[in-house]
Amino acid sequence: GAGVSQSPSNKVTEKGKDVELRCDPISGHTALYWYRQRLGQGLEFLIYFQGNSAPDKSGLPSDRFSAERTGESVSTLTIQRTQQEDSAVYLCASSLLGATYEQYFGPGTRLTVT
Amino acid sequence: AQTVTQSQPEMSVQEAETVTLSCTYDTSESDYYLFWYKQPPSRQMILVIRQEAYKQQNATENRFSVNFQKAAKSFSLKISDSQLGDAAMYFCAYRSAWGTGNQFYFGTGTSLTVIP
């Protein structure tokens, strides 16, 4: 079946502009995660959505970052007034609900802020 | 919060040889899951292997196996008969068994080079 998809694959934006990144999880996966990966670094947790529960936003680095999810499907990560330090790969992952289940990752969106 | 440490930023191995990647973690929980993920240059993270903490037997997936030492909080990955396609970043990850949607905690990764 289809995996996790993300769009766009690459995004170049000017400092100060807003960007929206999209994630389509695997159908039936109620848990959805966003991560940031700076060049040569590990994964930095941003936010996760768990079914109909309130999302865990504890990883969002500032109020310029926000994310929404429509039911158990598409999610968008929005970065307002982008800064150069926002340049990174943004990875989305989805999972079945339950601790035993691994995450399935999308290919990521490479964001470059000039 | 749980922490995951990968102390080897880079490793290299000769093709067909065996390499071990280290991972340690810090937790006060008794039930949890541990994962190794592979991230090739394509950026696509792929699950390599998973270990349930309540299982004493080490997980094995073809050429990949782990050495899980619960008391030492160590979870190393052994890659046997290394192939060129094994070259990638490898991330160790921890997830609590409690709750239904807990965070994954990732290490900083080990970059593996396979020398022909």
Side-chain angles (χ1 to χ4, degrees):
Chain A
V4 178
S5 61
Q6 291 186 246
S7 61
S9 177
N10 290 282
K11 176 72 176 178
V12 180
T13 190
E14 292 181 353
K15 178 181 173 181
K17 301 280 189 181
D18 297 352
V19 294
E20 265 192 10
L21 312 180
R22 177 188 170 105
C23 172
D24 282 273
I26 293 172
S27 178
H29 282 193
T30 50
L32 186 148
Y33 302 74
W34 282 99
Y35 296 90
R36 179 169 68 180
Q37 186 179 26
R38 291 196 166 108
L39 186 64
Q41 302 297 312
L43 275 69
E44 178 186 359
F45 167 77
L46 295 177
I47 186 171
Y48 89 80
F49 297 89
Q50 174 189 334
N52 294 322
S53 301
D56 179 349
K57 303 180 180 181
S58 61
L60 295 178
S62 76
D63 59 7
R64 296 187 297 105
F65 288 72
S66 63
E68 299 292 330
R69 187 178 186 192
T70 307
E72 294 184 354
S73 59
V74 172
S75 176
T76 55
L77 176 69
T78 302
I79 308 173
Q80 296 178 310
R81 305 181 302 281
T82 52
Q83 303 294 314
Q84 287 187 331
E85 63 261 28
D86 299 334
S87 295
V89 173
Y90 290 83
L91 291 166
C92 174
S94 72
S95 168
L96 289 169
L97 212 55
T100 186
Y101 298 108
E102 70 268 24
Q103 296 177 318
Y104 293 82
F105 283 83
T109 294
R110 182 179 298 281
L111 175 65
T112 303
V113 182
T114 61
Chain B
Q2 285 73 20
T3 57
V4 179
T5 302
Q6 293 178 251
S7 58
Q8 306 155 316
E10 296 178 349
M11 292 282 284
S12 61
V13 62
Q14 205 77 30
E15 193 175 6
E17 297 294 310
T18 295
V19 65
T20 298
L21 308 184
S22 300
C23 174
T24 58
Y25 55 94
D26 185 23
T27 185
S28 58
E29 298 175 332
S30 58
D31 289 330
Y32 47 86
Y33 297 86
L34 297 166
F35 306 84
W36 277 100
Y37 280 88
K38 170 185 176 181
Q39 186 180 41
S42 66
R43 295 200 312 244
Q44 185 76 54
M45 294 274 282
I46 304 164
L47 178 69
V48 174
I49 201 165
R50 173 179 60 194
Q51 174 80 41
E52 291 88 344
Y54 64 84
K55 289 187 177 179
Q56 293 187 341
Q57 185 174 8
N58 289 324
T60 300
E61 287 287 342
N62 301 314
R63 298 182 295 106
F64 298 88
S65 62
V66 300
N67 183 5
F68 173 48
Q69 301 290 328
K70 190 173 184 180
K73 298 179 183 175
S74 170
F75 181 59
S76 60
L77 175 69
K78 184 170 84 171
I79 306 174
S80 304
D81 184 25
S82 297
Q83 300 176 0
L84 295 178
D86 295 333
M89 282 288 289
Y90 287 82
F91 291 96
C92 177
Y94 170 104
R95 188 185 200 186
S96 172
W98 300 104
T100 55
N102 289 344
Q103 285 188 39
F104 282 72
Y105 296 90
F106 285 84
T108 52
T110 296
S111 177
L112 179 66
T113 301
V114 181
I115 303 165

